[in-house]
Amino acid sequence: MEKMTAPELSKTVSKLKSKVDNHIGSNDDAHLPATFERAGFESADDKVVIDSRAQTARTTSELDVMKLDFGRWIATGYTNGPKSYDGHAAMVTVSGQGTFKHINFMSISTGQTFVRDVYATHDTGWAETSWVSLVPTNGFTGKLQVKSNDMQSTRLIEVQFDLTCNVKSSDTITFGTLPAGFPPLDAASEPMYFPCRGALDDKTNVLASVYLTAGNALTVFRTDGSYPDKSLVAVSGYFSYTR
């Protein structure tokens, strides 16, 4: 190893000190959080966001779903959960930013999944994301199912039905209402109309229509005028819309 004189050692140490003093991020902004434009250290807020995206859920002693911080949590005995929640193990994922929270609640015992969006004074309530079977009303019988799908910034509502009925040519009959938790139309909104298939009592196929009102009521009426003396005995269809 080559020996250094005292002046050479002093000069080398001075150069090293200069590099340390002038390293990237010095001059009163050392170790700042990283941004898209600047390398740096992870901030506490970034830590929360990154952890919330992790695939591993954390246990929590906070059981009020509405008070959970951003992240993915697993526990039993949650409060303020969906009405059908039975207290067994559930995984809750809370995403969003600031005062906006998007909550995904999955019951591990039943596999049911619910979503809820909260922002300031706005609260959508819990909506199940699997198909929900409804009991038809006013003499309609058969299959009536609805589904609310999480689309992050909005909800995709799906409705499917295959029903028997007895609808005269001039009748307008409500056969079901979307359950609580499904975002309703605004009171001032015009009804939303959707075509569907129908069959008369002589098995003739005709067109019918379903419309959704502000109260989330589903109503059917006939759109054909060719068979005023015959009854509509079956209606079926599928439609979707966003809220």
Side-chain angles (χ1 to χ4, degrees):
M1 181 176 178
E2 184 180 350
K3 294 183 179 180
M4 299 179 65
T5 64
E8 289 174 335
L9 179 60
S10 177
K11 186 177 181 180
T12 300
V13 171
S14 295
K15 288 181 178 180
L16 180 60
K17 181 177 184 300
S18 177
K19 288 184 178 181
V20 172
D21 290 342
N22 294 285
H23 74 281
I24 296 174
S26 60
N27 301 320
D28 297 327
D29 62 354
H31 308 158
L32 288 176
T35 68
F36 288 115
E37 295 80 20
R38 181 189 64 232
F41 285 70
E42 182 182 33
S43 68
D45 289 340
D46 290 338
K47 178 67 174 174
V48 172
V49 172
I50 292 173
D51 281 357
S52 71
R53 294 173 178 172
Q55 294 301 309
T56 302
R58 293 173 286 173
T59 58
T60 176
S61 58
E62 175 58 74
L63 297 179
D64 187 338
V65 174
M66 306 308 294
K67 294 181 180 179
L68 288 173
D69 202 353
F70 297 111
R72 182 169 293 166
W73 312 96
I74 188 167
T76 59
Y78 283 112
T79 60
N80 282 325
K83 186 176 181 179
S84 61
Y85 172 58
D86 58 7
H88 287 86
M91 185 164 64
V92 181
T93 303
V94 183
S95 58
Q97 184 177 19
T99 59
F100 170 74
K101 281 188 174 183
H102 175 76
I103 307 171
N104 184 292
F105 187 104
M106 186 188 75
S107 171
I108 295 176
S109 62
T110 66
Q112 290 175 292
T113 301
F114 304 82
V115 294
R116 184 171 184 171
D117 292 321
V118 181
Y119 179 69
T121 59
H122 177 70
D123 188 337
T124 63
W126 291 109
E128 189 171 2
T129 60
S130 52
W131 286 104
V132 178
S133 294
L134 306 179
V135 178
T137 59
N138 292 324
F140 285 73
T141 59
K143 181 178 74 173
L144 173 57
Q145 294 181 311
V146 295
K147 185 179 181 182
S148 176
N149 303 280
D150 172 30
M151 305 291 286
Q152 295 301 323
S153 60
T154 186
R155 297 264 187 90
L156 174 67
I157 309 300
E158 298 179 90
V159 180
Q160 61 182 7
F161 53 95
D162 188 0
L163 303 167
T164 57
C165 56
N166 187 6
V167 180
K168 306 297 183 183
S169 61
S170 59
D171 287 346
T172 299
I173 304 177
T174 296
F175 61 89
T177 302
L178 301 188
F182 281 70
L185 299 181
D186 298 330
S189 297
E190 293 292 326
M192 299 174 65
Y193 292 85
F194 307 94
C196 64
R197 300 179 298 274
L200 302 180
D201 50 13
D202 65 353
K203 298 185 179 180
T204 300
N205 293 323
V206 295
L207 291 177
S209 186
V210 170
Y211 66 90
L212 179 70
T213 62
N216 271 358
L218 296 165
T219 302
V220 67
F221 66 96
R222 290 174 58 174
T223 54
D224 72 281
S226 303
Y227 310 93
D229 58 332
K230 299 184 182 300
S231 296
L232 185 71
V233 297
V235 288
S236 61
Y238 164 91
F239 63 87
S240 63
Y241 61 97
T242 57
R243 293 297 296 160

